[in-house]
Amino acid sequence: MKISPIKLIDENGRRIDGRLPHEIRKVKIESGVLKNADGSAYIELGNNKIIVAVYGPREVYPKHQALADRALLRCRYSMAPFSVEERKTPSPTRREIELSKVIREALEPAIFLEEYPRTAIDVFIEVLEADGGTRTASITAASVALADAGIPMRDLVTAIAIGKVEGLLVVDLNGLEDQYGEGDMPIAMMPQLGYVTLFQADGRFTAEELKEAFKLANDAIKKIYEEQKQALKRKYLKVAEIGEI
Amino acid sequence: MTLYIKHKQIVVPGELIIDEGKYVVEGKVYCINKRYYSKVLGLVEVDEENKRIKVISLKGKYIPEVGDIVIGKVIDVGLTNWTVDINSPYTAILQVTEVFSKPTSISRNSLSQILDVGDIIIAKVIAFDFTRDPLLTIKESKLGKVTKGTMVEIDPSKIPRLIGKKGSMISMIKDMLDVDIIVGKNGRVIVVGKNPLKEGISTLVIKMIEKEAHTTGLTDRVKIFIEEKLREVKQ
């Protein structure tokens, strides 16, 4: 474990960016931001800025990858070279390849893939600015983009990271807390159905902390879920207002 | 039994619609633990009289169904068939036997003389079961190659709105603008009119319906819109 050069929690119990331990960062989600894509979404979670484009269902190329009984879900998570302080090489790194897989597996159970055999659904995730918790924000935005594309889903998928900083459980880690904290636990859920689709953890957590973390994640996810719902509906309500006059 | 939504409400995937019970629920929904949830980003229609609830998708790709009239574009000429793009994840096949009613022997060159790459055709889906590409026919009347008119592409899920209740919307546009409109289930619409200006107005009207498909009182607004445009043209 690296020793933190700064105090992550001050004497008033405030975190480094002034939040309380159980407070999430400011969330802003927008749907339908890209014109060429079938569905798209943009999310701002604190300093994270991520854009997601969804194409599909469409024909699979190369054709041999097509599955006879369901659609093929492909995810690409990539970080822009300017998204972090030190330039990130544009070629996919080990971390990006892994995250692509993790995100795909978090989204897969939510989609009715069996409705479109022999097709592909492509999800492109582009991180413009990263500050801790990009995988959770990506999952949140990707599910909005999928819904915006009109793809049938069981539920939206919402994700949040729970962390441990100076022995205390905190919700929604930022970059510094992620780097110097004692643990990081991203959780993705289908909020309406209550299913967990992603659960990872590094660091040490006791059984009690795990239970507590789940409860905290549940509360945070409920809040973000509302934001996702609004983002999807807003687009259509805007047109409706013009229409009614 | 509770109804969790209102008539004409927009729902997101996974939004609870109703407990199993008095209502017949149809459209893009699924059922777990005797509760109905929406599958898509859609619009709910509650019919209190017939006790029916329907969820209509607001967006989506066209999935072929047997019997659908579609408007396709020829993208490849083969030895005994044509490959047709029907604005869907599945490309369609048009076989020679589905073009001629009599048996004919044809060489490859003559195949492209009948239909070439880029040609637009009105066709009917005769077979599709997801395991193979859909098959088309142009043997019946009113089907075949399109030689004139303007093609407009809209979201396939908005096609029922363009047609309207018992064809009210489409017949109104046809009457007011004196054009012929052929609607393909796959989201492509062909407008044929004697007056190119009126053809242009029709395409604008179709685009407007696509954009405002989920709002109420659309027929009246379309009517006003056409009248306005007609007045502009006269001046």
Side-chain angles (χ1 to χ4, degrees), chain A residues 5-242:
Chain A
I6 26 156
K7 250 184 107 55
L8 288 171
I9 294 181
D10 68 10
E11 52 282 352
N12 301 324
R14 293 257 175 198
R15 283 152 74 180
I16 199 148
D17 49 7
R19 280 184 290 158
L20 290 168
H22 297 171
E23 210 175 323
I24 55 170
R25 286 173 282 182
K26 213 176 150 205
V27 209
K28 190 184 129 194
I29 308 175
E30 240 178 282
S31 76
V33 286
L34 304 174
K35 214 177 161 223
N36 280 350
D38 293 318
S40 56
Y42 172 72
I43 188 169
E44 270 180 28
L45 178 69
N47 290 334
N48 289 308
K49 291 184 180 67
I50 299 163
I51 204 154
V52 182
V54 171
Y55 286 85
R58 63 179 178 182
E59 263 182 280
V60 192
Y61 289 110
K63 260 195 167 142
H64 69 87
Q65 282 188 351
L67 303 169
D69 58 338
R70 64 199 150 93
L72 176 71
L73 181 67
R74 293 187 287 205
C75 270
R76 197 192 72 167
Y77 166 97
S78 102
M79 283 171 97
F82 52 82
S83 62
V84 276
E85 247 170 77
E86 210 164 298
R87 179 179 180 271
K88 193 214 134 277
T89 61
S91 58
T93 56
R94 194 213 91 251
R95 180 176 169 274
E96 282 174 300
I97 296 164
E98 181 192 320
L99 281 188
S100 302
K101 173 190 172 285
V102 161
I103 291 167
R104 190 190 73 229
E105 285 175 356
L107 296 171
E108 231 164 14
I111 308 171
F112 286 94
L113 289 171
E114 61 279 10
E115 284 195 14
Y116 301 102
R118 300 194 295 126
T119 62
I121 297 169
D122 290 312
V123 180
F124 298 103
I125 299 158
E126 225 42 66
V127 178
L128 304 178
E129 202 174 328
D131 185 26
T134 52
R135 84 187 67 189
T136 55
S138 298
I139 291 167
T140 306
S143 78
V144 171
L146 282 164
D148 182 48
I151 290 165
M153 298 205 287
R154 288 181 180 83
D155 198 350
L156 296 174
V157 187
T158 318
I160 196 76
I162 306 293
K164 203 162 140 186
V165 170
E166 294 180 11
L168 199 69
L169 283 182
V170 293
V171 181
D172 193 12
L173 291 174
N174 65 28
L176 280 172
E177 288 168 337
D178 191 22
Q179 220 175 339
Y180 301 109
E182 292 142 45
D184 176 18
M185 190 194 292
I187 300 171
M189 283 173 87
M190 293 194 238
Q192 282 283 318
L193 303 173
Y195 297 154
V196 175
T197 65
L198 167 78
F199 179 75
Q200 294 182 303
D202 57 32
R204 282 185 184 199
F205 292 91
T206 63
E208 279 73 42
E209 278 173 337
L210 213 85
K211 271 185 202 155
E212 174 73 9
F214 251 95
K215 232 173 70 200
L216 292 174
N218 217 341
D219 295 343
I221 279 171
K222 287 266 153 64
K223 275 180 208 153
I224 301 173
Y225 177 65
E226 282 308 311
E227 200 58 41
Q228 283 179 302
K229 249 164 76 174
Q230 287 314 313
L232 283 167
K233 293 182 179 183
R234 208 179 299 136
K235 198 173 130 194
Y236 290 97
L237 292 176
K238 248 187 213 163
V239 182
E241 272 167 24
I242 305 161

Side-chain angles (χ1 to χ4, degrees), chain B residues 6 26 35 49 55 78 83 111 116 128 138 169 182 190 193:
Chain B
K6 289 184 293 235
E26 52 191 7
R35 284 176 147 188
E49 256 176 53
V55 176
T83 311
L111 220 62
D116 205 358
F128 181 60
I138 54 168
M169 184 81 83
I182 303 151
I190 287 173

Side-chain angles (χ1 to χ4, degrees), chain A residues 38 57 59 112 115-119 147-148 152-156 192-193 229 233 236 239-240 243-244, chain B residues 10 12-15 30 39-41 58-59 61 63 89-91 130-133 211-212 214-216 221:
Chain A
D38 293 318
E59 263 182 280
F112 286 94
E115 284 195 14
Y116 301 102
R118 300 194 295 126
T119 62
D148 182 48
M153 298 205 287
R154 288 181 180 83
D155 198 350
L156 296 174
Q192 282 283 318
L193 303 173
K229 249 164 76 174
K233 293 182 179 183
Y236 290 97
V239 182
E244 296 297 11
Chain B
I10 291 166
V12 299
E15 201 161 331
Y30 70 99
K39 249 185 199 182
V40 291
L41 176 62
L58 283 170
K59 225 175 173 185
K61 287 277 166 82
I63 299 301
Y90 306 96
T91 47
F130 287 100
T131 55
R132 271 171 215 197
D133 283 337
K211 204 175 151 201
E212 299 179 17
H214 58 285
T215 59
T216 50
R221 254 178 293 127

Side-chain angles (χ1 to χ4, degrees), chain B:
Chain B
M1 194 204 71
T2 3
L3 194 61
Y4 297 96
I5 38 86
K6 289 184 293 235
H7 182 52
K8 290 273 177 196
Q9 189 185 320
I10 291 166
V11 288
V12 299
E15 201 161 331
L16 189 54
I17 292 179
I18 194 171
D19 295 333
E20 204 174 58
K22 280 180 190 166
Y23 287 82
V24 178
V25 190
E26 52 191 7
K28 299 273 190 182
V29 290
Y30 70 99
C31 189
I32 309 183
N33 297 333
K34 296 189 170 177
R35 284 176 147 188
Y36 284 99
Y37 297 88
S38 171
K39 249 185 199 182
V40 291
L41 176 62
L43 196 67
V44 192
E45 277 184 359
V46 185
D47 185 355
E48 285 289 350
E49 256 176 53
N50 302 318
K51 294 281 171 205
R52 268 173 194 283
I53 295 176
K54 196 173 181 191
V55 176
I56 304 159
S57 180
L58 283 170
K59 225 175 173 185
K61 287 277 166 82
Y62 170 70
I63 299 301
E65 251 177 65
V66 175
D68 282 356
I69 301 288
V70 294
I71 292 166
K73 195 173 175 186
V74 178
I75 49 170
D76 194 20
V77 185
L79 285 171
T80 58
N81 58 29
W82 289 271
T83 311
V84 184
D85 162 47
I86 53 165
N87 194 23
S88 157
Y90 306 96
T91 47
I93 309 277
L94 176 67
Q95 267 157 1
V96 172
T97 51
E98 294 303 332
V99 178
F100 306 103
S101 34
K102 286 177 206 155
T104 29
S105 71
I106 280 168
S107 68
R108 198 185 166 178
N109 279 340
S110 51
L111 220 62
S112 60
Q113 269 161 27
I114 299 151
L115 283 173
D116 205 358
V117 174
D119 282 353
I120 305 290
I121 55 166
I122 302 168
K124 193 173 163 183
V125 182
I126 48 168
F128 181 60
D129 65 352
F130 287 100
T131 55
R132 271 171 215 197
D133 283 337
L135 295 178
L136 302 178
T137 183
I138 54 168
K139 252 200 258 180
E140 288 163 41
S141 67
K142 286 183 183 171
L143 304 181
K145 194 169 154 182
V146 181
T147 48
K148 57 184 176 186
T150 315
M151 190 168 84
V152 193
E153 229 169 79
I154 64 171
D155 198 300
S157 57
K158 308 282 163 69
I159 289 290
R161 196 73 168 110
L162 175 65
I163 295 167
K165 277 197 188 102
K166 286 175 191 156
S168 59
M169 184 81 83
I170 199 101
S171 55
M172 184 187 77
I173 303 170
K174 278 181 188 171
D175 291 344
M176 288 183 79
L177 289 164
D178 190 28
V179 287
D180 194 19
I181 300 175
I182 303 151
V183 182
K185 272 273 179 69
N186 58 339
R188 287 187 180 142
V189 183
I190 287 173
V191 187
V192 189
K194 283 168 200 141
N195 187 340
L197 271 174
K198 283 183 178 172
E199 230 177 71
I201 297 172
S202 309
T203 58
L204 287 178
V205 170
I206 292 165
K207 282 283 172 198
M208 174 188 168
I209 294 169
E210 185 196 12
K211 204 175 151 201
E212 299 179 17
H214 58 285
T215 59
T216 50
L218 185 58
T219 318
D220 298 331
R221 254 178 293 127
V222 168
K223 202 173 174 179
I224 295 165
F225 182 76
I226 297 175
E227 279 166 358
E228 238 172 62
K229 286 284 166 194
L230 280 176
R231 229 174 291 134
E232 271 175 40
V233 170
K234 264 180 198 166
Q235 283 167 3

